[in-house]
């Protein structure tokens, strides 16, 4: 099949300059989080560098070029509040437009010359005696007073360890590493997984492949999609009257927050949603047997709600088979399932999601006591105060960190709130002369307990499904279990009293009042 069309480059990406020896702030990644951070730091005149392992900006919107990829959050909200885009062509944007938006926004805000492309961060080590981070990259080492981790929770593909996979003679790839050079036309293709990615690329590739075997472990809730083209008139209005677009953004935001009430309280409203999902299935799938296999057995919202009008129809095409039997083994030319069937295939595509709870970047960050983030989180689960700060890791701020994920609205809202908070933290450091800030252990423990208590009531915890939102111990370590405006409110100012501030070594102590420990 023809390769997915990535965005036409909107802005030239400069060749990387030399790596500085030392910076005030090192930012990791150039998705919404990393670019948002770079824009904020540039505006504030903060000395910084941005480390990006790839050769272009864009994060997940650069990496996910699979056919049919688009955002399932409306574009007017899924964008920076300070950089509205009146030119969105559809209410839910295709991947290429979002990637182009990020490239253009980065260029317009003059942040590209601070980005060092092809620099993968291999190790981040806190040097306590020097009060700074040693940042080891694939192309050299630097030090930084402060590190902002914007590596992204959905950046590391998860590929299941299926017995025999290494002996498969055909092609395999993950949806986030789509082989645009691989022609699927006329092939027998296996797709493993039926999450947000698969339901987008299955209808897109189905017409071209000879046969598609879809391996479904758990049926997703699929709701009707309301995407539509944005008319030239609307675009002209947004261009000339920016307040009109802000109004639409606000309406989208508040309607999503209203909806969040149902998810957060696991309320009866979800039964209505269930009826909508069932009706969608009944309308689109005539065969009762297939319909039964596509019917979820948990509350809608427990896993991400999926939007599609073409997923179910594509599954009923003569060249598609939905297999719900467990995969036992991969043979050189087939996928072998528990019922004893060999499903012969040429290519296997993994739509199996990402390493979120066990993100490998956590193994590369070593804190004050010599332990890695992964080790600390391995004991009690991933946690960060305000999704941002971890005890034992001074001057480290996580963007889109634990429990800042979102099941109902735009992650960009959360990222911008975190940037406000971090920006204020840097201001406090400057004003007090503090060399380090580190969240107090009691504060983090209380925060984590509160988040888990709150999460227990939500549909993500008690909706009757297993999902990547929960870690191995059933803790919700990913989703913000509340309305986003509450997160925005609590991150408006850096609450220095909840942190330990230390003065630069060999300098007088910091004057800031930092004694009171709060919840
Ligand atoms: O991954 P997923 P995704 N054997 O983890 C199945 C965002 N996103 O890439 O449900 C068989 O949702 C697994 O089965 P089960 C969005 O936040 C956003 O689709 O665990 N099957 C599931 O069906 C989303 O939540 C957009 O039983 C196996 C699938 O693989 C996140 O990315 C678009 C298996 C994984 O689903 C991830 O979505 C796309 C195994 N061993 C993605 N292991 C937007 O539009 C896993 N599965 C913004």
């Amino acid at each position: 099949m023809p390769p997915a069309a990535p965005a036409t480059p909107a802005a030239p990406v400069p060749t990387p300059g030399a790596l500085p020896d030392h910076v005030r702030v090192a930012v990791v990644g150039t998705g919404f989080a990393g670019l948002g951070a770079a824009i904020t730091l540039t505006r504030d005149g903060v000395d910084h560098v941005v480390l990006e392992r790839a050769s272009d900006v864009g994060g997940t919107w650069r990496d996910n070029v699979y056919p049919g990829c688009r955002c399932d959050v409306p574009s007017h909200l899924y964008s920076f509040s300070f950089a509205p885009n009146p030119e969105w062509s559809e209410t839910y944007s295709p991947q290429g437009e979002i990637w182009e938006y990020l490239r253009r926004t980065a260029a317009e805000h003059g942040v590209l010359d601070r980005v060092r492309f092809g620099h993968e961060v291999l190790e981040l080590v806190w040097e306590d005696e020097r009060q700074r981070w040693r940042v080891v990259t694939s192309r050299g080492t630097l030090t930084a007073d402060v590190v902002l981790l914007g590596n992204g929770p959905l950046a590391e593909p998860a590929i299941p360890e299926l017995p025999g996979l290494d002996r498969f003679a055909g092609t395999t790839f993950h949806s986030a590493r789509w082989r645009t050079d691989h022609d699927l036309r006329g092939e027998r293709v296996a797709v493993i997984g039926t999450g947000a990615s698969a339901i987008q690329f299955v209808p897109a590739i189905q017409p071209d492949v000879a046969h598609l075997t879809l391996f479904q472990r758990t049926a997703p809730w699929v709701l009707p999609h309301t995407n539509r083209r944005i008319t030239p008139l609307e675009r002209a209005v947004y261009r000339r009257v920016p307040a009109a677009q802000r109004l639409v953004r606000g309406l989208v935001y508040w309607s999503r927050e209203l909806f969040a009430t149902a998810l957060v309280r696991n309320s009866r409203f979800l039964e209505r949603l269930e009826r909508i999902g069932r009706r969608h299935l009944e309308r689109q799938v005539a065969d009762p047997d297939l319909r039964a296999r596509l019917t979820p057995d948990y509350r809608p919202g427990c896993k991400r709600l999926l939007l599609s009008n073409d997923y179910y129809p594509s599954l009923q095409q003569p060249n598609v088979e939905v297999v719900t039997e467990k995969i036992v083994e991969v043979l050189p030319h087939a996928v072998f399932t528990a019922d004893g069937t060999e499903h012969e295939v040429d290519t296997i595509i993994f739509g199996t999601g990402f390493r979120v709870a066990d993100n490998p970047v956590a193994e590369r960050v070593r804190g004050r006591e010599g332990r890695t983030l992964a080790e600390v989180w391995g004991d009690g689960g991933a946690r960060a105060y305000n999704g941002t700060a971890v005890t034992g890791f001074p001057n480290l701020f996580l963007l889109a960190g634990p429990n800042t994920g979102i099941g109902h609205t735009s992650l960009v809202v959360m990222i911008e709130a975190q940037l406000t908070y971090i920006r204020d933290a840097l201001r406090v450091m400057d004003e007090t002369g503090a060399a380090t800030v580190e969240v107090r252990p009691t504060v983090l423990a209380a925060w984590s307990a509160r988040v888990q208590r709150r999460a227990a009531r939500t549909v993500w915890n008690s909706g009757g499904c297993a999902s990547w939102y929960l870690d191995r111990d059933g803790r919700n370590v990913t989703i913000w279990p509340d309305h986003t405006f509450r997160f925005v409110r609590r991150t408006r100012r850096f609450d220095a009293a909840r942190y330990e501030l230390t003065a630069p070594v060999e300098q007088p102590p910091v004057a800031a009042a930092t004694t009171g420990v709060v919840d």
Side-chain angles (χ1 to χ4, degrees), residues 64 66 153-162 165 172-178 190-199 201-202 214-218 303 327 330 348-358 466-469:
N64 283 273
Y66 62 75
L154 303 178
E156 304 294 334
I159 296 189
E161 287 172 14
L162 299 172
L165 184 56
T172 64
F173 57 88
H174 187 275
S175 57
R177 301 286 181 271
W178 196 269
V191 171
I192 301 180
T194 54
S197 304
I199 69 124
F201 69 74
V202 162
L214 177 64
F215 293 91
Q216 171 191 278
R217 189 164 67 178
T218 314
K303 286 173 183 284
I327 298 172
V330 177
I348 301 175
I349 306 175
F350 291 99
T352 43
F354 300 89
R355 294 179 62 185
V356 183
D358 64 337
S467 79
W468 62 264
Y469 297 154

Side-chain angles (χ1 to χ4, degrees), residues 209-509:
V209 302
H211 192 266
L212 193 155
T213 313
L214 177 64
F215 293 91
Q216 171 191 278
R217 189 164 67 178
T218 314
W221 280 104
V222 182
L223 303 176
H225 208 321
T226 57
N227 184 39
R228 64 167 181 83
R229 290 203 72 75
I230 296 175
T231 65
L233 178 63
E234 286 172 285
R235 291 207 291 273
V237 170
Y238 295 148
R239 232 173 278 134
R240 280 176 212 147
V241 192
Q245 195 175 16
R246 281 201 297 278
L247 179 69
V248 176
R249 183 183 169 98
L251 290 174
V252 174
Y253 176 79
W254 286 107
S255 64
R256 298 246 150 191
E257 290 306 313
L258 198 63
F259 172 55
T261 310
L263 300 169
V264 165
R265 296 196 186 149
N266 194 7
S267 77
R268 297 191 60 157
F269 174 81
L270 293 178
E271 286 156 26
R272 278 181 60 191
L273 212 60
E274 191 167 327
R275 283 200 292 280
I276 296 171
R278 283 184 192 280
R279 210 174 311 132
H280 191 47
L281 186 58
E282 278 159 22
R283 279 199 188 130
Q284 292 205 318
V285 179
D287 172 18
D289 171 55
L290 179 61
R291 206 193 293 156
R293 285 186 291 138
L294 295 176
T295 304
D297 59 359
Y298 53 89
R299 298 271 272 180
C302 183
K303 286 173 183 284
R304 194 174 180 91
L305 288 164
L306 309 182
L307 307 175
S308 178
N309 297 335
D310 52 11
Y311 176 63
Y312 289 145
S314 73
L315 302 189
Q316 295 163 86
Q317 300 309 307
N319 65 340
V320 178
E321 184 187 2
V322 179
V323 175
T324 50
E325 286 291 333
K326 185 175 160 45
I327 298 172
V328 175
E329 190 183 356
V330 177
L331 304 174
H333 297 283
V335 176
F336 186 67
T337 46
D339 59 349
T341 309
E342 282 184 26
H343 304 270
E344 292 201 0
V345 291
D346 306 303
T347 292
I348 301 175
I349 306 175
F350 291 99
T352 43
F354 300 89
R355 294 179 62 185
V356 183
D358 64 337
N359 193 312
V361 174
E363 291 162 18
R364 301 181 180 186
V365 185
R366 201 169 284 283
R368 192 164 42 74
E369 288 168 0
R371 295 174 81 204
T372 64
L373 257 185
E375 285 164 349
V376 170
W377 284 348
D379 184 10
R383 57 203 180 278
Y385 176 61
N386 281 339
T388 313
V390 186
T391 309
F393 297 81
N395 294 6
L396 177 73
F397 297 100
L398 312 182
L399 290 161
N403 293 104
T404 59
I406 276 304
H408 68 280
T409 188
S410 169
L411 183 62
V412 185
V413 171
M414 301 294 277
I415 289 170
E416 282 194 40
Q418 288 189 287
L419 291 173
T420 302
Y421 186 71
I422 294 165
R423 186 171 180 240
D424 204 42
L426 293 174
R427 178 192 63 77
V428 169
M429 288 176 81
D430 283 346
E431 287 179 9
T432 59
T436 71
V437 292
E438 180 180 341
V439 68
R440 295 171 187 275
T442 48
V443 171
L444 177 57
W447 166 259
S448 177
R450 204 162 94 192
V451 167
Q452 291 310 321
R453 260 197 318 276
R454 180 131 199 133
R457 288 181 283 174
T458 67
V459 71
W460 301 295
N461 281 52
S462 54
C465 75
S467 79
W468 62 264
Y469 297 154
L470 309 181
D471 70 6
R472 260 179 311 207
D473 301 317
R475 259 187 241 102
N476 177 349
V477 293
T478 52
I479 292 269
W480 172 243
D482 205 338
H483 292 279
T484 60
F485 52 80
R486 295 224 168 87
F487 186 81
V488 171
R489 202 159 55 210
R490 62 171 302 122
T491 49
R492 213 163 265 161
R493 290 190 71 78
F494 180 67
D495 37 4
R498 291 181 163 94
Y499 288 74
E500 194 78 54
L501 275 67
T502 63
V505 279
E506 295 168 5
Q507 296 212 11

Side-chain angles (χ1 to χ4, degrees), residues 73-275:
V73 176
S75 322
H76 292 309
L77 187 59
Y78 198 86
S79 43
F80 289 120
S81 59
F82 56 80
N85 175 21
E87 308 305 333
W88 295 123
S89 67
E90 298 175 60
T91 49
Y92 293 77
S93 299
Q95 167 267 336
E97 269 185 52
I98 304 174
W99 187 20
E100 189 177 323
Y101 165 81
L102 283 170
R103 301 182 95 236
R104 193 176 60 241
T105 305
E108 284 173 3
H109 286 79
V111 302
L112 289 173
D113 58 352
R114 298 286 187 118
V115 183
R116 298 294 174 267
F117 293 102
H119 285 69
E120 178 167 4
V121 173
L122 304 177
E123 220 182 355
L124 278 166
V125 182
W126 176 253
E127 298 182 337
D128 206 35
E129 66 295 349
R130 299 168 79 194
Q131 297 176 308
R132 60 198 199 181
W133 286 97
R134 179 158 45 89
V135 186
V136 182
T137 82
S138 51
R139 291 205 198 168
T141 299
L142 74 156
T143 53
D145 295 333
V146 173
V147 170
L148 309 191
L149 263 189
N151 52 292
L154 303 178
E156 304 294 334
I159 296 189
E161 287 172 14
L162 299 172
L165 184 56
D166 53 340
R167 292 194 303 277
F168 183 63
T171 306
T172 64
F173 57 88
H174 187 275
S175 57
R177 301 286 181 271
W178 196 269
R179 286 275 303 273
T180 52
D181 60 338
H182 182 82
D183 195 347
L184 291 173
R185 276 177 301 190
E187 284 202 339
R188 295 164 303 175
V189 175
V191 171
I192 301 180
T194 54
S197 304
I199 69 124
Q200 292 185 332
F201 69 74
V202 162
I205 64 171
Q206 172 273 320
D208 293 318
V209 302
H211 192 266
L212 193 155
T213 313
L214 177 64
F215 293 91
Q216 171 191 278
R217 189 164 67 178
T218 314
W221 280 104
V222 182
L223 303 176
H225 208 321
T226 57
N227 184 39
R228 64 167 181 83
R229 290 203 72 75
I230 296 175
T231 65
L233 178 63
E234 286 172 285
R235 291 207 291 273
V237 170
Y238 295 148
R239 232 173 278 134
R240 280 176 212 147
V241 192
Q245 195 175 16
R246 281 201 297 278
L247 179 69
V248 176
R249 183 183 169 98
L251 290 174
V252 174
Y253 176 79
W254 286 107
S255 64
R256 298 246 150 191
E257 290 306 313
L258 198 63
F259 172 55
T261 310
L263 300 169
V264 165
R265 296 196 186 149
N266 194 7
S267 77
R268 297 191 60 157
F269 174 81
L270 293 178
E271 286 156 26
R272 278 181 60 191
L273 212 60
E274 191 167 327
R275 283 200 292 280

